[in-house]
Amino acid sequence: MASNFKIKFCFGLLMLSLTSCMGFKSSASTSSGKNLYETFFVGNDGTQYFIKPLSFTDKDKNLLTLDLTFRYKNQIKDSCIVNASFFDNAVHKSMDSVIVSNESVRVKLMDVKHLFSERSGNKVNSRFSTKGSLIEVSKLFENANWKATIYFETKQIDYFPPQQTKRKIDKLRYGIFMLF
């Protein structure tokens, strides 16, 4: 009986030690803005950040969300993956470019790749991905008055952040980008 307990106890310790070596994900806290992003320790590459989707709307109240993924260790030297999902009545399978700007900086994102389109309620979610300079993207967080412009072959659509998104941008500046 005692031997069976020892085996289970040793097995439990082994499982605990193996899972604790898999990686580290930070905990969330609403007051510091950590609920707006997730961090993952990635060894010699430092920390990987995932900024959860930030919402923007156009004049017709269509929704655009942007999420960002990047790595940082001691200095900014990497790129930033920018994923865009926008929800409207049409299916879009190609996008020319995205420009995200504020009074301080204008970040032009080219080579936009279509990931998928799917129905989401009565709208279509068209999802795209591109890469940009992390140095330029980090400068966006110096001012929360963003404008995101999506360029298609035949039209362009301007999206603006609501107050809630502006507050999130300010929290992200304080929680992440001021540390760089």
Side-chain angles (χ1 to χ4, degrees), residues 76 101-107 133-144 146 169 173 177 180:
I76 297 176
S101 61
N102 60 25
E103 288 92 3
S104 307
V105 67
R106 181 178 186 261
V107 179
S133 162
L134 179 54
I135 291 172
E136 290 179 351
V137 170
S138 68
K139 289 179 183 176
L140 283 169
F141 285 87
E142 294 173 5
N143 182 319
W146 291 16
I169 291 168
R173 180 186 68 237
F177 294 98
F180 292 178

Short mmCIF file of all heavy atoms in Angstrom, two decimals, residues 76 101-107 133-144 146 169 173 177 180:
data_model
loop_
_atom_site.label_atom_id
_atom_site.label_comp_id
_atom_site.label_asym_id
_atom_site.label_seq_id
_atom_site.Cartn_x
_atom_site.Cartn_y
_atom_site.Cartn_z
N ILE A 76 15.05 46.51 -29.68
CA ILE A 76 14.11 46.26 -30.77
C ILE A 76 14.92 45.96 -32.02
O ILE A 76 15.67 46.79 -32.52
CB ILE A 76 13.21 47.49 -31.02
CG1 ILE A 76 12.35 47.78 -29.79
CG2 ILE A 76 12.32 47.24 -32.24
CD1 ILE A 76 11.50 49.03 -29.93
N SER A 101 -1.79 54.95 -38.72
CA SER A 101 -1.09 56.20 -38.46
C SER A 101 -1.68 56.93 -37.26
O SER A 101 -2.78 56.63 -36.80
CB SER A 101 -1.15 57.10 -39.69
OG SER A 101 -2.50 57.42 -40.00
N ASN A 102 -0.91 57.88 -36.76
CA ASN A 102 -1.36 58.86 -35.79
C ASN A 102 -0.62 60.15 -36.10
O ASN A 102 0.02 60.25 -37.15
CB ASN A 102 -1.16 58.37 -34.35
CG ASN A 102 0.28 58.08 -34.00
OD1 ASN A 102 1.21 58.61 -34.61
ND2 ASN A 102 0.49 57.20 -33.04
N GLU A 103 -0.65 61.14 -35.21
CA GLU A 103 0.01 62.41 -35.50
C GLU A 103 1.53 62.27 -35.59
O GLU A 103 2.21 63.09 -36.19
CB GLU A 103 -0.33 63.46 -34.42
CG GLU A 103 -1.76 63.97 -34.51
CD GLU A 103 -2.71 63.17 -33.64
OE1 GLU A 103 -2.26 62.26 -32.91
OE2 GLU A 103 -3.91 63.45 -33.69
N SER A 104 2.10 61.20 -35.01
CA SER A 104 3.56 61.04 -34.92
C SER A 104 4.17 60.17 -36.01
O SER A 104 5.30 60.40 -36.42
CB SER A 104 3.94 60.42 -33.57
OG SER A 104 3.39 61.14 -32.52
N VAL A 105 3.46 59.15 -36.46
CA VAL A 105 4.06 58.16 -37.35
C VAL A 105 3.00 57.59 -38.30
O VAL A 105 1.81 57.57 -37.99
CB VAL A 105 4.74 57.03 -36.53
CG1 VAL A 105 3.73 56.20 -35.78
CG2 VAL A 105 5.63 56.15 -37.39
N ARG A 106 3.49 57.14 -39.46
CA ARG A 106 2.64 56.50 -40.47
C ARG A 106 3.30 55.18 -40.83
O ARG A 106 4.41 55.17 -41.38
CB ARG A 106 2.54 57.40 -41.69
CG ARG A 106 1.68 56.88 -42.79
CD ARG A 106 1.65 57.95 -43.91
NE ARG A 106 0.74 57.58 -44.96
CZ ARG A 106 1.11 57.00 -46.10
NH1 ARG A 106 2.38 56.74 -46.32
NH2 ARG A 106 0.21 56.71 -47.01
N VAL A 107 2.64 54.07 -40.50
CA VAL A 107 3.20 52.74 -40.75
C VAL A 107 2.45 52.12 -41.93
O VAL A 107 1.25 51.85 -41.84
CB VAL A 107 3.07 51.84 -39.50
CG1 VAL A 107 3.63 50.45 -39.79
CG2 VAL A 107 3.75 52.47 -38.30
N SER A 133 7.70 46.81 -39.41
CA SER A 133 8.83 47.11 -38.55
C SER A 133 8.36 47.31 -37.11
O SER A 133 7.47 48.13 -36.86
CB SER A 133 9.51 48.40 -39.04
OG SER A 133 10.33 48.94 -38.04
N LEU A 134 8.95 46.57 -36.19
CA LEU A 134 8.57 46.71 -34.78
C LEU A 134 8.92 48.10 -34.26
O LEU A 134 8.19 48.66 -33.45
CB LEU A 134 9.24 45.63 -33.92
CG LEU A 134 8.94 45.67 -32.43
CD1 LEU A 134 7.44 45.67 -32.15
CD2 LEU A 134 9.61 44.51 -31.72
N ILE A 135 9.99 48.69 -34.77
CA ILE A 135 10.35 50.05 -34.36
C ILE A 135 9.23 51.02 -34.73
O ILE A 135 8.79 51.83 -33.91
CB ILE A 135 11.69 50.49 -35.01
CG1 ILE A 135 12.83 49.68 -34.41
CG2 ILE A 135 11.93 51.98 -34.81
CD1 ILE A 135 14.16 49.87 -35.10
N GLU A 136 8.73 50.94 -35.96
CA GLU A 136 7.65 51.81 -36.40
C GLU A 136 6.36 51.54 -35.64
O GLU A 136 5.67 52.46 -35.20
CB GLU A 136 7.41 51.66 -37.90
CG GLU A 136 8.52 52.22 -38.76
CD GLU A 136 8.25 52.04 -40.24
OE1 GLU A 136 7.29 51.35 -40.62
OE2 GLU A 136 9.02 52.61 -41.03
N VAL A 137 6.01 50.26 -35.49
CA VAL A 137 4.78 49.89 -34.78
C VAL A 137 4.83 50.37 -33.34
O VAL A 137 3.84 50.88 -32.80
CB VAL A 137 4.52 48.37 -34.87
CG1 VAL A 137 3.39 47.94 -33.95
CG2 VAL A 137 4.21 47.98 -36.32
N SER A 138 5.98 50.25 -32.69
CA SER A 138 6.08 50.69 -31.30
C SER A 138 5.86 52.20 -31.17
O SER A 138 5.32 52.67 -30.18
CB SER A 138 7.43 50.29 -30.69
OG SER A 138 8.48 50.99 -31.29
N LYS A 139 6.23 52.97 -32.20
CA LYS A 139 6.01 54.42 -32.19
C LYS A 139 4.53 54.76 -32.26
O LYS A 139 4.11 55.83 -31.81
CB LYS A 139 6.78 55.09 -33.33
CG LYS A 139 8.27 55.10 -33.10
CD LYS A 139 9.01 55.73 -34.25
CE LYS A 139 10.51 55.65 -34.02
NZ LYS A 139 11.26 56.18 -35.16
N LEU A 140 3.72 53.88 -32.83
CA LEU A 140 2.27 54.11 -32.86
C LEU A 140 1.71 54.25 -31.45
O LEU A 140 0.75 54.99 -31.22
CB LEU A 140 1.55 52.96 -33.58
CG LEU A 140 1.60 52.94 -35.09
CD1 LEU A 140 1.06 51.62 -35.62
CD2 LEU A 140 0.82 54.11 -35.67
N PHE A 141 2.30 53.54 -30.50
CA PHE A 141 1.77 53.52 -29.14
C PHE A 141 2.12 54.80 -28.36
O PHE A 141 1.69 54.95 -27.22
CB PHE A 141 2.25 52.27 -28.40
CG PHE A 141 1.53 51.04 -28.86
CD1 PHE A 141 1.98 50.32 -29.96
CD2 PHE A 141 0.37 50.62 -28.23
CE1 PHE A 141 1.30 49.20 -30.41
CE2 PHE A 141 -0.32 49.50 -28.67
CZ PHE A 141 0.14 48.79 -29.76
N GLU A 142 2.83 55.73 -28.98
CA GLU A 142 3.11 57.01 -28.33
C GLU A 142 1.90 57.93 -28.35
O GLU A 142 1.85 58.91 -27.61
CB GLU A 142 4.32 57.69 -29.00
CG GLU A 142 5.61 56.93 -28.80
CD GLU A 142 6.77 57.50 -29.60
OE1 GLU A 142 6.60 58.56 -30.25
OE2 GLU A 142 7.85 56.88 -29.57
N ASN A 143 0.92 57.63 -29.21
CA ASN A 143 -0.27 58.46 -29.33
C ASN A 143 -1.44 57.56 -29.70
O ASN A 143 -1.38 56.82 -30.69
CB ASN A 143 -0.04 59.52 -30.42
CG ASN A 143 -1.20 60.46 -30.59
OD1 ASN A 143 -2.35 60.07 -30.56
ND2 ASN A 143 -0.88 61.73 -30.77
N ALA A 144 -2.53 57.62 -28.94
CA ALA A 144 -3.65 56.69 -29.12
C ALA A 144 -4.63 57.10 -30.22
O ALA A 144 -5.58 56.37 -30.49
CB ALA A 144 -4.41 56.55 -27.80
N TRP A 146 -5.25 56.76 -33.36
CA TRP A 146 -4.89 56.00 -34.54
C TRP A 146 -5.94 56.15 -35.64
O TRP A 146 -7.12 56.40 -35.38
CB TRP A 146 -4.77 54.52 -34.22
CG TRP A 146 -3.61 54.14 -33.37
CD1 TRP A 146 -2.83 54.96 -32.59
CD2 TRP A 146 -3.12 52.81 -33.17
NE1 TRP A 146 -1.89 54.21 -31.93
CE2 TRP A 146 -2.04 52.89 -32.27
CE3 TRP A 146 -3.48 51.58 -33.66
CZ2 TRP A 146 -1.33 51.77 -31.86
CZ3 TRP A 146 -2.78 50.46 -33.25
CH2 TRP A 146 -1.70 50.56 -32.36
N ILE A 169 -4.85 51.27 -25.88
CA ILE A 169 -3.56 51.65 -26.47
C ILE A 169 -2.70 52.34 -25.43
O ILE A 169 -1.50 52.05 -25.31
CB ILE A 169 -3.78 52.54 -27.72
CG1 ILE A 169 -4.39 51.72 -28.85
CG2 ILE A 169 -2.47 53.19 -28.16
CD1 ILE A 169 -4.91 52.53 -30.03
N ARG A 173 0.87 51.02 -24.02
CA ARG A 173 2.08 51.86 -24.01
C ARG A 173 2.75 51.79 -22.65
O ARG A 173 3.94 51.57 -22.54
CB ARG A 173 1.75 53.30 -24.37
CG ARG A 173 3.01 54.19 -24.37
CD ARG A 173 2.73 55.66 -24.58
NE ARG A 173 2.03 56.19 -23.43
CZ ARG A 173 0.85 56.80 -23.48
NH1 ARG A 173 0.24 56.97 -24.62
NH2 ARG A 173 0.28 57.24 -22.39
N PHE A 177 5.38 49.07 -24.05
CA PHE A 177 6.28 49.84 -24.91
C PHE A 177 7.15 50.85 -24.16
O PHE A 177 8.22 51.21 -24.66
CB PHE A 177 5.49 50.49 -26.04
CG PHE A 177 4.91 49.45 -26.96
CD1 PHE A 177 3.59 49.03 -26.84
CD2 PHE A 177 5.69 48.86 -27.94
CE1 PHE A 177 3.07 48.06 -27.67
CE2 PHE A 177 5.19 47.88 -28.77
CZ PHE A 177 3.87 47.49 -28.64
N PHE A 180 10.61 49.35 -23.33
CA PHE A 180 11.62 49.15 -24.39
C PHE A 180 12.60 50.29 -24.32
O PHE A 180 13.65 50.35 -24.73
CB PHE A 180 10.98 49.10 -25.76
CG PHE A 180 10.12 47.87 -26.00
CD1 PHE A 180 9.46 47.72 -27.19
CD2 PHE A 180 9.97 46.88 -25.06
CE1 PHE A 180 8.68 46.61 -27.45
CE2 PHE A 180 9.19 45.78 -25.29
CZ PHE A 180 8.53 45.64 -26.50
#
